[in-house]
Amino acid sequence: MDKELKILKYSDLSKLIERFRSKGFPVLAPVQKGKVIEIEPVDTLDTIALDVLLSTQSAKKAAFPKVEKVLEYTLEKAAVKQTAIDPNAYAETILFGVRPCDASGFKSLDAIFGEAPSDAFYLNKKEKTTIISFSCPTADDYCFCTSVGGGPGYTAGSDIQFTAISKDELLVEILTEKGKKLSGLFNDLLTDASPSIDKEKFLADVKVVFDLDKVISNTTAAFNSAELWLDQSLRCIGCGACAFVCPTCACFDFQDEQNTKKGVRLRLWDSCGFSLFTLHTSGHNPREVQSQRWRQRIMHKFSYMPEQLKVLGCEGCGRCSRACPVDMNIKEHLTSIALQ
Amino acid sequence: MNELINKVTKLLNDKTIDAFIGYGQGSTDRVRAIFARTVEQASKLIYTPACTFNLSGYLLKHEVKHLGKLGILANVAALRSIMQLASEFQIKDGEVYILFVNDDASLTEFSDFQSIEAFLEKANIDITPDEKARIEKIEAMSVSERWEFWNKEFEKCIKCYACRAACPMCYCHRCTTDVNQPQWIPVASHERGNLDYHLMRAMHLAGRCINCGECANACPMDIPLNLLTYQLIDPIKTGFGATAGMKADAVYALSTFKPDDKENFII
């Protein structure tokens, strides 16, 4: 659909949350908890951290939670009785106040989980989630969305996007049919926006720092450049912080939890940074050392995904760099790859 | 700083070491570990008040070990980690070239573990006033309040294992939490899985943790994990008379038996 431009008074924003909640829609939004900003269910606007740079973790958990039950079973004598979990059992949900990089991160997840055989657990949740993003008035040194095709006002992946254009007013961009449907709940609060409003004026200035085409071609060509990957990753300690805060990392593991009578099968986040990720039963590990795991992380996002799924595996949000305990700065590493 | 760069340059030039683990400028306001293998890389070494984290964990990283003979810039926490690792047979005397920056910016080089032990006897190993205040607050809680406090903290955990990866003492090739056939503790990052993981890790660090705080620094979810392991330091000291990371030939309190060990905790 063609996007619709409207104006909403900032003072009416709380009514939106009230209306969503009164209709029974769960609202997930960033909430400040100490130094960490979590994306959590909220009931009122005042609990939402709207003026923060961005949440510590990405919004992916709305459709891809860290722990997800996919099967239940009981054990009776020699028989195993399975009970499938209904992937549709998920309420229509509103993801509110996230950043454009969170919303666009779902494009990569859609491509990964949508690839045959498609993943009903993710896709159903995603389908039932309406995303209202807020464009970014500020950015920090870790942000590089504009270098990977996004931007502080990027709208792909969002159903509605809000941009603060004054202290009192928000520009509302209704971008999708889903967004249009949801806006039915607050149409009375909207007025028409002048098409001459220059949204760019209200956005953070995020400089392009590298040539994306070069990153993609050089990454692909650098598979055997062991020295490059070693140099970049000597300080990497092989935790999963980068992957777990990433809006596009989608790798998972299955674990069964059971006693003698019954059990559940759980899907859990996993990370290619862990040495166990590729360890074979035989004891052989094709990615034996951390530099090979770091290479995988970069190759997957900038070579394999563009080639196989036609999407990039990175939104330039910089969360991985901020979360990294040893200061692995992806923007810096990609810049050096582009200059190879 | 110049003295450090000159020293490392010399060590590299005369092939005393093949690589030096030190601090370098990181992103914006951060410092990071750098691994100087050339004179050019050594010129990037820095030592500022921000250079406080414990570099010793890198001494056991496979690819770092393979750089050859290593040198390291160790602070007090790193020296203690090195002593503890030595007592656990992870580092041999003379295997690593160890430098320390004194308060007046001069360098101390340690010729052997004995000299580190002598140095540590006089070193300040107290926790910071801020840590002390936080510990006192937790210790003043009732058992149920404390239980609630930690459960609330663990709720935030996403099991990225940054705490484990950052800990110099967490060097097991296969951690208990990674053993899943059978599962010793739940692998999932749910309430029970998070609680079990952190309690398991704390117990495995009892008498081994030197309280460098890297677990808490590493945590992207800001869980004060150092306060948990810290609380096991005193019981080990009062119960067994042992403080981790002070002697290279220390015997781990929880893996040995002495006839005069207290048995009053056995019901």
Side-chain angles (χ1 to χ4, degrees), chain A residues 177-303:
Chain A
E177 291 298 341
K178 235 200 243 178
K180 174 89 183 144
K181 197 173 146 213
L182 186 70
S183 70
L185 288 179
F186 55 91
N187 252 335
D188 56 317
L189 304 173
L190 301 176
T191 51
D192 284 337
S194 146
S196 64
I197 293 175
D198 180 13
K199 178 183 161 189
E200 292 297 315
K201 240 174 45 189
F202 307 100
L203 302 177
D205 178 22
V206 185
K207 298 260 185 310
V208 175
V209 287
F210 56 74
D211 177 346
L212 181 61
D213 291 337
K214 271 257 186 280
V215 168
I216 294 173
S217 60
N218 290 358
T219 301
T220 306
F223 185 85
N224 286 320
S225 308
E227 273 303 308
L228 167 81
W229 305 112
L230 181 74
D231 256 353
Q232 292 197 346
S233 70
L234 264 173
R235 67 182 179 278
C236 173
I237 52 175
C239 73
C242 49
F244 290 2
V245 299
C246 174
T248 70
C249 272
C251 286
F252 55 80
D253 179 27
F254 284 112
Q255 294 283 338
D256 286 1
E257 285 182 359
Q258 60 186 18
N259 57 29
T260 52
K261 297 237 165 20
K262 59 179 185 176
V264 290
R265 177 156 299 169
L266 303 173
R267 164 153 79 179
L268 315 171
W269 286 351
D270 206 344
S271 165
C272 59
F274 294 143
S275 61
L276 215 63
F277 188 74
T278 45
L279 182 64
H280 293 182
T281 313
S282 66
H284 170 64
N285 194 341
R287 290 182 212 137
E288 216 179 352
V289 288
Q290 203 57 38
S291 56
Q292 293 165 339
R293 296 173 207 131
W294 169 251
R295 173 182 69 187
Q296 167 62 22
R297 181 170 177 75
I298 299 298
M299 301 278 309
H300 195 197
K301 292 179 174 302
F302 294 92
S303 180

Side-chain angles (χ1 to χ4, degrees), chain B residues 84-85 88 168-171 204-211 244-245 252:
Chain B
Q84 187 61 26
L85 290 168
E88 297 177 14
M169 295 310 143
C170 276
Y171 55 77
H204 283 183
L205 285 159
R208 302 175 59 238
C209 171
I210 58 96
N211 195 42
Y252 176 41

